[in-house]
Amino acid sequence: MSRIEYSAEIAELLGRVRRRPTAGWPWRPGEQVPEGLPVKQSWGWLFAPDGRVLTLVNPRDGICSLPGGSLEPEDAGDPASALAREAAEEAQAVIGRPYYLGYLYDRVGSANGGHECARVRMAAALRAVGPSVADPASGRHYRRLLVAPGLAVELLGWGAPGLRQARAAVAAAARRLGVPVAANEAIEELPVEGCAVFPGAVYPDAVCSDAVHPDAVHPDAVRPDAVRPSEPNPGLA
């Protein structure tokens, strides 16, 4: 297995990572949410061209997460719209078309006032990120890392169920986006000034401000090391 590369600054950040206890929500890959079960959250595996995914780290408490969150009235019940909005708010990210992967069944309804609900998972291309700012809803100012999906599961602390979810995301991204199944293993922080990541159409175009839209990113902001040769991705084989 090759050595995982990352900077001293990232090493210091990862040393503060604190994994939350797993909730044990059953993963329903490829299944549509049953009629009558409300969808309360939508989270996304957002892929770079080399197979890495965007993982957010809150430096204050060390908690890691994928971009996403609760559906709001402006999302009109659409998990894809919620993911695009939340990715923009939390990570200043612009994404491509989201693809449905499945859902987590929250039997105790911790996201729905004690009533059962679904938490949807989707996969999409990470088109670009804008200048890093705090999430307007929570005030959290996330650090934005690109990591291999298997390493994302480790940082998230999701264990075997998380690996099954990651495999579904990688399979969909390989088929829909053409990313390699064996992702680059380097851990990289995206620049605070923003950068382009994965060329292509954005979803939906209306959510993109001039500061975040990929077409507005200066070519000099594109990291020459953002896409390295692929290396085996531990835990997903």
Side-chain angles (χ1 to χ4, degrees):
M1 185 179 296
S2 61
R3 180 177 179 272
I4 299 173
E5 300 178 4
Y6 49 88
S7 68
E9 184 178 5
I10 291 177
E12 192 274 335
L13 174 65
L14 296 181
R16 300 202 300 272
V17 166
R18 180 170 60 87
R19 295 168 181 83
R20 288 177 288 193
T22 57
W25 302 312
W27 167 235
R28 309 297 193 201
E31 297 182 22
Q32 295 300 314
V33 178
E35 185 175 353
L37 183 65
V39 175
K40 286 297 180 179
Q41 292 188 335
S42 178
W43 302 77
W45 295 85
L46 307 184
F47 285 84
D50 62 2
R52 290 181 293 180
V53 294
L54 179 62
T55 305
L56 306 181
V57 182
N58 183 351
R60 284 193 165 187
D61 59 15
I63 295 296
C64 299
S65 63
L66 296 179
S70 299
L71 274 68
E72 301 293 347
E74 59 263 39
D75 302 319
D78 181 13
S81 295
L83 174 58
R85 176 185 52 77
E86 289 282 356
E89 292 176 359
E90 293 180 342
Q92 301 72 57
V94 177
I95 67 174
R97 173 189 171 185
Y99 296 97
Y100 180 81
L101 300 174
Y103 71 96
L104 294 167
Y105 173 55
D106 182 353
R107 60 169 67 87
V108 299
S110 54
N112 190 32
H115 302 282
E116 64 177 0
C117 64
R119 300 168 182 256
V120 163
R121 294 294 187 265
M122 311 191 85
L126 175 64
R127 298 299 188 206
V129 293
S132 179
V133 297
D135 178 358
S138 67
R140 301 186 184 101
H141 200 149
Y142 295 101
R143 302 276 290 274
R144 307 173 296 187
L145 303 183
L146 288 182
V147 305
L151 295 176
V153 171
E154 175 64 22
L155 293 175
L156 293 161
W158 286 356
L163 283 175
R164 290 194 288 272
Q165 188 183 139
R167 289 190 186 103
V170 169
R175 182 174 69 254
R176 300 283 193 173
L177 307 175
V179 305
V181 173
N184 182 345
E185 292 181 14
I187 303 174
E188 180 181 3
E189 184 167 13
L190 293 172
V192 294
E193 66 271 19
C195 68
V197 179
F198 200 147
V202 302
Y203 176 92
D205 190 71
V207 306
C208 302
S209 68
D210 290 341
V212 181
H213 197 287
D215 293 341
V217 178
H218 192 278
D220 291 344
V222 180
R223 295 286 292 260
D225 58 347
V227 180
R228 299 186 178 93
S230 296
E231 297 289 348
N233 184 356
L236 291 176

